[in-house]
Amino acid sequence: MAQFLSSSIGKKFLMSLSGLFLLVFMLVHLTVNSMILFDSSGELFNRAAHFMASNPIIRIVEPVLAIGFILHILYAVILTIHSLYTRPVGYKKQKLGHSSTWSSRNMFILGLAILTFLVIHIANFFWKIKFTGHDLLADVTIHGVHMENSYALVTTFFIDWWWIVGVYVIGSIALGLHLYHSIWSAFQTLGWSNGIWRRRLNLVGLLASLVIAGGFALIPLWVKISTLL
Amino acid sequence: MDLTLKVWRQENSKAKGNFESYQIKNISPDSSFLEMIDALSEQLINEGKEPVAFDHDCREGICGMCSLFINGRAHGPDEEITTCQLHMRKFKDGDTIVIEPWRAAGFPVIKDLMVERDAFDKILQAGGFISVNTGSAQEANAIPIPQHKAEESMDGASCIGCGACVATCKNSSAMLFVASKVSQLALLPQGKPEAVRRAKAMVAKMDELGFGHCTNTGACEVECPKGVSLDHIARLNREFLAANLKF
Ligand code: HEM
Ligand code: SF4
Ligand code: FES
């Protein structure tokens, strides 16, 4: 097993599994967030957020998620650094655009963009909800259950600052480009592709990245724009 | 055709090397790219200069000896073709053509445009074979093989070991080469007995010789003169995983 994990294929195998795990998390996260779009009273989103925060399964998954991120980023760094040494003298002229997509060649840059966004995002919401608290989070009671008013925190944030909306849209685009290449790529790495499945998985990858990037970008835009209408 | 060539010149593997510009005139559009370089070498010899060293052998697209990174692409601007099969009609009169050797840690430059591709031989020696008792050939129909398996195996076997996949890949990964060589044997019954050993040994050798990992960009498949498919890489990944699950 140690031999497998230290090989180039083994390392990619871990990237693929951790990446797919993160993808599942993104889908769940988007589903919860989309509640913001469907109920402007905030009740739906607050209940969903409260359910996620109080659910024991989610409490167990939380540290697993952190490990997933750490593994994914660790191996991204290891592989990317190694690849810097595989071509000591570069080309004078190289037309890579002819043979591969921009996303596939810039996965690490896109990953760094996602990571930067993630730090900002955690500082904005997760940290306040989980640890420091915030005035806007003052308890609301829905059907007799006390919970934090996450909806107020999130929406006020987007309404007050245009540039924060911009940061979220850029973060979503980076994630979308990362996923556009990586969904088929993850299955290819696991050996789960052939002439037929490659086309199918590429289509799934395109649709999933559009839905995920579009969805995450739409939420802050919607919140901001709906106040202007 | 009159052309300006920017050619990588390097005295030997230790020397630093640099690009030299040459003007070349009256090249027929029907000549091959290597014939054009022959003409350049002749011109250099007449001027009392050292001709350009480059790899070539069959000049009919089957041996895999010719290489060259031409105007930013392995084997030049045509599709699914080796440099020896590339014709000058793919260029325009007055063009400037940049000619570089394959660039990869696993393929050090020997001189000018020639690179050392022994690394591929070492990968093959590690496991790209089947062990059989010598003697007269076996009766052809003794081992039935489904047609589609035979076809896929032949697709893998069509790799000529030129190294364009490594030269093109942003990580200098040799995965397409190794995958084609593992596939051609893994698909046939004759390759089964050594499948576990082969996948492990060839991947270990590939990593050891300084080739990079596979990011699945797919550039290798586009630039491969034989159109070897990425599907073989998926098969290599399966073979390698399966090999590591058996102890
Ligand atoms: C929610 C966030 C993320 C998701 C859903 C995600 C998902 C994925 C998936 C599914 C793959 C494909 C694996 C494969 O090719 O086998 C991948 C590749 C990659 N990811 Fe991420 N990723 C995320 C964040 C990041 C971050 C923060 C980084 C860090 C810098 C990163 C860096 C990379 C790199 C460099 C690759 C390509 C590896 C290679 O083939 O060279 N990703 N990602
Ligand atoms: S896979 Fe294609 S590009 Fe790579 S060595 Fe074989 S023939 Fe050349
Ligand atoms: S010289 Fe043999 S393939 Fe080009």
Side-chain angles (χ1 to χ4, degrees), chain B residues 39-52:
Chain B
L40 170 68
S41 289
E42 202 151 316
Q43 179 178 319
L44 290 173
I45 291 168
N46 288 339
E47 291 168 4
K49 295 183 188 144
E50 179 108 0
V52 180

Side-chain angles (χ1 to χ4, degrees), chain A residues 8 86-87 92 185 191 198, chain B residues 100 103 105 207 216 221 238:
Chain A
S8 60
T86 57
R87 178 162 295 141
K92 181 185 172 77
S185 175
R198 182 170 170 194
Chain B
E100 303 174 69
R103 298 285 191 199
D207 287 345
N216 301 324
E221 176 191 63
R238 286 199 289 280

Side-chain angles (χ1 to χ4, degrees), chain A residues 53-188:
Chain A
S54 54
N55 189 323
I57 295 175
I58 302 295
R59 306 310 295 264
I60 297 167
V61 172
E62 230 167 48
V64 179
L65 182 66
I67 295 169
F69 265 110
I70 292 168
L71 259 187
H72 193 75
I73 295 168
L74 183 70
Y75 277 93
V77 170
I78 293 175
L79 286 169
T80 306
I81 289 182
H82 181 255
S83 70
L84 295 177
Y85 294 95
T86 57
R87 178 162 295 141
V89 183
Y91 291 106
K92 181 185 172 77
K93 190 168 180 186
Q94 202 176 12
K95 283 192 192 149
L96 281 174
H98 177 81
S99 49
S100 57
T101 60
W102 185 87
S103 306
S104 71
R105 280 177 274 129
N106 292 283
M107 290 298 278
F108 190 69
I109 305 286
L110 289 168
L112 285 184
I114 297 170
L115 187 62
T116 311
F117 171 78
L118 212 68
V119 172
I120 298 175
H121 176 57
I122 287 177
N124 287 348
F125 302 133
F126 182 79
W127 203 255
K128 290 177 188 156
I129 295 170
K130 189 108 182 160
F131 301 113
T132 59
H134 194 278
D135 294 346
L136 285 167
L137 284 170
D139 270 13
V140 286
T141 309
I142 299 170
H143 299 310
V145 183
H146 289 287
M147 58 184 74
E148 293 183 310
N149 194 352
S150 308
Y151 182 82
L153 179 72
V154 172
T155 53
T156 309
F157 210 67
F158 291 141
I159 293 167
D160 285 356
W161 288 298
W162 254 118
W163 68 271
I164 286 281
V165 174
V167 167
Y168 275 69
V169 170
I170 293 170
S172 307
I173 293 173
L175 179 64
L177 290 171
H178 197 77
L179 293 177
Y180 170 58
H181 171 65
S182 66
I183 292 177
W184 161 74
S185 175
F187 286 101
Q188 167 87 356

Side-chain angles (χ1 to χ4, degrees), chain B residues 52-218:
Chain B
V52 180
F54 64 100
D55 277 317
H56 62 112
D57 189 10
C58 71
R59 296 209 177 191
E60 52 186 11
I62 55 173
C63 74
M65 245 344 252
C66 59
S67 54
L68 306 186
F69 217 72
I70 303 164
N71 272 352
R73 290 184 58 195
H75 293 298
D78 213 349
E79 308 302 322
E80 291 197 13
I81 220 168
T82 54
T83 295
C84 59
Q85 297 293 294
L86 174 68
H87 283 83
M88 293 314 293
R89 53 179 166 270
K90 290 286 160 186
F91 300 89
K92 289 194 298 291
D93 188 35
D95 270 2
T96 298
I97 308 176
V98 179
I99 310 171
E100 303 174 69
W102 284 171
R103 298 285 191 199
F107 291 161
V109 172
I110 302 170
K111 185 179 169 69
D112 297 341
L113 302 170
M114 290 174 101
V115 296
E116 176 101 44
R117 277 172 284 184
D118 287 14
F120 272 10
D121 296 330
K122 289 181 188 146
I123 294 172
L124 284 181
Q125 282 157 10
F129 52 80
I130 54 168
S131 306
V132 288
N133 294 325
T134 51
S136 58
Q138 198 175 19
E139 203 273 310
N141 294 320
I143 306 173
I145 298 167
Q147 172 69 10
H148 71 277
K149 292 265 172 175
E151 287 291 341
E152 272 179 77
S153 172
M154 269 311 288
D155 288 346
S158 69
C159 163
I160 52 176
C162 66
C165 42
V166 173
T168 298
C169 176
K170 81 186 240 299
N171 307 321
S172 305
S173 171
M175 282 286 275
L176 194 64
F177 167 76
V178 176
S180 72
K181 298 300 173 193
V182 165
S183 262
Q184 74 185 50
L185 299 174
L187 282 158
L188 302 180
Q190 292 92 329
K192 294 276 187 266
E194 285 156 305
V196 168
R197 224 203 58 139
R198 176 182 310 115
K200 284 184 171 179
M202 289 179 77
V203 170
K205 202 44 137 188
M206 165 184 92
D207 287 345
E208 178 198 319
L209 294 174
F211 297 101
H213 72 288
C214 178
T215 304
N216 301 324
T217 69

